[in-house]
């Protein structure tokens, strides 16, 4: 077995690989850019080599820099993680030439699967079902429309070199086909330097279901069941699970066998994934093969008990797989939620900054349930704008899907993240969504269910009252403490009133509290009574309460006259006031936010990479004004209405904070 391996990656996946290596007694080498000097993967590894400035194209994806680090440390093998160099044929070849093992598939397999047209042809030859379509060269937009009509609308127009959801358009008629062809072609040329386009049928009611494969260098190849990845935004996955609630054993077996047939057609060894799109009738069609460890591999590990990273390392060292297809079963159900540093309240745009608080739930492994959190960050660490906004993958396992979802809900409740925008409340909302719990989701789930984005779920009155009762009981405790600290009274409890008005989500609840040594009894004006008990003390940011015997977990942040409380998908400003103050508050005018209608504000922290207009220019509705780059995404900001640019307050190359002014209009 190798004595030392290098991990050519960062973040959670670098940490994940280091864990398996350590378990196997293998020494590890991390590489890091200037932005990652203090990163978790650097702290975890036995050695670390600095490879350059923060941008990935000056550090993590420079083959020469990685090769130097390999030579310098004497690593015998390299694990590439996902992203970066993981699907780079030249990197696999450079390692081979240097006599260093690549912990991944052969360069030839990377190459043939890296191109969508080539891989689709190979798949057809291997007897894999592919999406009906046309794979010849398409001359122009008119020909694209003709071919699309022959295939039958709707169609998907795709870049052969595409990836990450880019260079892809759906068209429902000839005009859209012409337009989509032009857009995909130019996007493909600029993003991938390769503008070959093909067209296939757009599968409706689509679900994304993929098969994990694992092969060795002795001709053995297995399928390790499927993962359902239909919950996506911008064609990128957010929630995954294994198995899929949609497959039956026969479809699973058919998909598994086709995936293995394709893998064997390219002499695949190592872990890989064959992605399929599945329609409402369970017809499945090959999409593409990812020749690397996939982000969502933990859910497969949780239901099969196989450590995929360990297997990749063993296979790279020439070992034969120690199991056969008959050994692979499905044990229970696993769910992964990707925690992203992106603000659900701002259209899921990336957010950066210092993690002032980062307390994941406790990882546990019992026969009844498992909580696993793959992470690459720590409290006090910095989320920079240079890399992917994913900061952790929270996974749960339980014997049934229902139980796994319930474990996930509770794990999300206990996950504390502050200092940056993040999608925890959104994930909670998905876990509670009827379409998700019933297992009836398609890839359009987020678009359809959250068409205007996400700004927290609205809670039903019964839930609001439980929170109101808790807030009142907590506020009372805090008031007593304040009275005690000020030391003016000798019997503080008597001075703190019994009557309160709690306001949240636009509703006012007058209520009365009677406290005893075990908790509080809260009586609402309509006569309903709630019993609240907890050991919360003022200052705690996480409150675990018993309300009428049921557990309620709240994230609590003091604000004036109350708390910001987050619970599941809801984010509430809860005010607790005396009846007199509540009356006064009702008379006060809402403070108006400053008028920003004549300004273009930076919607996310990022770098200005292009300014399309100058001072004095007249701009039309929809015209591009500038481009901001953040976390690998280029965002074109457009004029919302016709106007004249009066002032530009930044220049190309400036790093702006969120809400900083870019330009002003007359
Ligand atoms: P990428 O390389 O960008 O991951 P894929 O071909 O894997 O590209 O497609 C990404 C996503 O786009 C899929 O998960 C699916 O949601 C959607 N998609 C791709 N092709 C089709 C199709 N023919 N019909 C419907 N949806 C599709
Ligand atoms: P998968 O198909 O495996 O779910 P995705 O396409 O969702 O993968 O995400 C893979 C992407 O993650 C890569 O293409 C890359 O942009 C990004 N990435 C690369 N390295 C890291 C890392 N260390 N941490 C987080 N994200 C990364
Ligand atoms: Mg894909």
């Amino acid at each position: 077995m190798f004595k030392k391996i290098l991990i050519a990656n960062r973040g959670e996946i670098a940490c994940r690989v280091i864990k398996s290596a350590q378990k196997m007694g293998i020494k590890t080498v991390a590489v890091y850019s200037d932005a990652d000097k203090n990163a978790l993967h650097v702290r975890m590894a036995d050695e670390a080599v600095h490879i350059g400035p923060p941008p990935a194209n000056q550090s993590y994806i420079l083959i020469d820099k990685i090769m130097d680090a390999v030579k310098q440390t004497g690593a015998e093998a390299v694990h590439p993680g996902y992203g970066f160099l993981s699907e780079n044929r030249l990197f696999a070849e450079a390692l081979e030439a240097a006599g260093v093992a690549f912990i991944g598939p052969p360069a030839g397999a990377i190459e043939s699967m890296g191109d969508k047209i080539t891989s689709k042809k190979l798949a057809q030859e291997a007897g894999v079902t592919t999406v009906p379509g046309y794979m010849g060269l398409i001359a122009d937009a008119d020909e694209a429309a003709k071919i699309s009509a022959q295939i039958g609308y709707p169609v998907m127009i795709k870049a052969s070199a595409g990836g990450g959801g880019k260079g892809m358009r759906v068209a429902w008629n000839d005009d859209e086909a012409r337009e989509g062809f032009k857009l995909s072609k130019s996007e493909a040329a600029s993003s991938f330097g390769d503008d070959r386009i093909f067209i296939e049928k757009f599968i409706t009611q689509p679900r994304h279901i993929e098969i994990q494969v694992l092969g060795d260098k002795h001709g053995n190849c297995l399928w390790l069941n499927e993962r359902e990845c239909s919950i996506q935004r911008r064609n990128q996955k957010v929630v995954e699970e294994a198995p899929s609630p949609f497959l039956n054993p026969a479809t699973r077996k058919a998909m598994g066998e086709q995936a293995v047939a394709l893998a064997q057609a390219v002499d695949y060894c190592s872990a890989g994934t064959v992605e399929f799109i599945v329609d409402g009738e369970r017809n499945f069609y090959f999409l593409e093969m990812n020749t690397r460890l996939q982000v969502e591999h933990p859910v497969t590990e949780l239901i099969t008990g196989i450590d995929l990273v360990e297997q990749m390392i063993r296979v790279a060292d020439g070992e034969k797989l120690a199991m056969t297809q008959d050994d692979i079963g499905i044990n229970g159900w696993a769910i992964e939620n990707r925690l992203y540093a992106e603000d659900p309240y701002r259209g899921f745009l990336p957010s950066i900054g210092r993690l002032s608080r980062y307390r994941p739930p406790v990882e546990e492994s019992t026969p009844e349930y498992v909580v696993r959190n793959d992470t690459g960050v720590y409290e006090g660490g910095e989320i920079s704008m240079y890399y992917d906004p994913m900061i952790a993958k929270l996974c749960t396992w339980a014997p049934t899907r229902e139980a796994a979802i319930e474990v996930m809900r509770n794990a999300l409740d206990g996950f504390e993240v502050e200092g940056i925008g993040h999608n925890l409340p959104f994930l909670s909302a998905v876990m509670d969504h009827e379409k998700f719990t019933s297992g009836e989701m398609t890839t359009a789930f987020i678009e359809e269910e959250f068409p205007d984005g996400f700004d927290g779920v609205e809670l039903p009155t019964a839930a609001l009252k439980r929170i109101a009762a808790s807030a009142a009981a907590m506020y009372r405790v805090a008031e007593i403490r304040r009275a005690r600290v000020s030391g003016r009274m000798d019997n503080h409890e008597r001075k703190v009133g019994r009557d309160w008005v709690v306001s949240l989500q636009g509703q006012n609840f007058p209520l009365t509290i009677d406290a005893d040594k075990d908790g509080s009894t809260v009586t609402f004006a309509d006569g309903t009574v709630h019993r609240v008990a907890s050991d919360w003390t003022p200052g705690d940011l996480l409150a675990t309460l018993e309300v009428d015997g049921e557990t309620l977990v709240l994230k609590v942040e003091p604000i004036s006259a109350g708390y910001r409380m987050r619970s599941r998908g809801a984010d509430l400003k809860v005010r607790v006031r005396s009846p007199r103050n509540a009356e006064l508050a009702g008379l006060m005018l809402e403070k108006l936010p400053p008028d920003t209608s004549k300004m273009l504000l930076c919607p996310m922290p990022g770098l200005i990479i292009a300014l399309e207009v100058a001072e004095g220019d007249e701009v039309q509705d929809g015209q591009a004004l500038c481009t901001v780059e953040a976390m690998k995404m280029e965002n074109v900001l457009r004029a919302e209405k016709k106007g004249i640019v009066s002032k530009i307050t930044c220049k190309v190359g400036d790093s702006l904070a969120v809400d900083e002014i870019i330009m002003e209009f007359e």
Side-chain angles (χ1 to χ4, degrees), residues 180-231:
F181 175 80
K182 286 184 208 152
L183 287 171
S184 294
K185 199 172 171 76
S186 72
E187 198 167 298
S190 67
S191 300
F192 314 114
D194 174 347
D195 67 354
R196 286 170 307 128
I197 299 293
F198 68 104
I199 303 180
E200 63 187 25
K201 184 100 188 139
F202 177 74
I203 304 300
T204 46
Q205 297 293 303
R207 299 175 76 118
H208 176 118
I209 301 177
E210 57 189 31
I211 301 284
Q212 175 72 52
V213 297
L214 177 65
D216 64 18
K217 291 179 179 171
H218 306 273
N220 302 302
C221 189
L222 312 174
W223 51 275
L224 273 48
N225 300 304
E226 78 281 7
R227 291 183 288 259
E228 162 95 46
C229 316
S230 294
I231 310 267

Side-chain angles (χ1 to χ4, degrees), residues 390-575:
M390 194 179 76
I391 53 181
K393 303 185 308 204
L394 180 63
C395 298
T396 59
W397 174 93
T400 63
R401 183 169 191 265
E402 223 175 4
I405 294 174
E406 187 55 22
V407 179
M408 180 60 83
R409 288 189 185 119
N410 293 329
L412 288 168
D413 279 348
F415 206 139
E416 294 181 75
V417 181
E418 302 295 344
I420 53 157
H422 58 76
N423 65 339
L424 277 173
F426 177 73
L427 295 171
S428 290
V430 174
M431 292 302 109
D432 277 338
H433 198 289
E434 196 272 326
K435 274 211 174 148
F436 176 74
T437 53
S438 65
E440 272 154 36
M441 59 281 190
T442 70
T443 56
F445 172 82
I446 292 181
E447 243 164 76
E448 282 174 7
E449 302 304 320
F450 303 93
D452 306 316
F454 175 76
D455 50 11
V457 294
E458 295 256 309
L459 292 180
T461 304
L464 288 180
K465 284 168 96 175
R466 279 194 294 275
I467 294 177
S470 306
M474 290 159 70
Y475 199 76
R476 182 183 161 276
V477 171
E479 282 292 282
I480 291 170
R481 173 174 291 201
R482 273 194 280 274
R484 201 173 284 154
V485 170
S486 69
R488 278 172 288 123
M489 290 164 276
D490 41 38
N491 193 345
H492 324 290
E493 310 225 359
R494 200 165 298 157
K495 290 289 173 190
V496 173
R498 293 176 62 221
D499 295 324
W500 301 93
V501 177
V502 181
S503 322
L504 67 173
Q505 203 178 287
Q507 295 197 49
N508 294 323
F509 296 104
L511 48 79
T512 305
I513 306 183
D514 293 294
D516 54 61
K517 66 178 192 345
D518 299 319
S520 308
T521 300
V522 181
T523 310
F524 284 74
D526 65 4
T528 49
V529 178
H530 289 297
R531 180 76 191 158
V532 181
S534 103
D535 56 5
W536 179 82
T537 49
D540 289 352
L541 299 180
L542 193 67
T544 306
L545 307 110
E546 292 283 316
V547 182
D548 303 328
E550 270 183 47
T551 305
L552 173 67
V553 179
L554 297 169
K555 286 165 192 164
V556 185
E557 217 179 291
I559 54 175
S560 84
Y563 307 100
R564 175 183 180 198
M565 291 185 152
R566 281 168 291 175
S567 170
R568 297 287 153 104
D571 190 340
L572 304 160
K573 280 198 181 112
V574 187
R575 310 285 177 177

Side-chain angles (χ1 to χ4, degrees), residues 116 162-165 168 208 210 232 235 237 275 287-290 292 294:
K116 289 198 202 302
M168 222 184 265
H208 176 118
E210 57 189 31
Q232 312 183 341
N235 290 317
K237 303 159 184 167
E275 297 188 332
L287 269 185
E288 64 165 347
M289 179 167 187
N290 292 327
R292 54 171 158 89
Q294 200 104 335

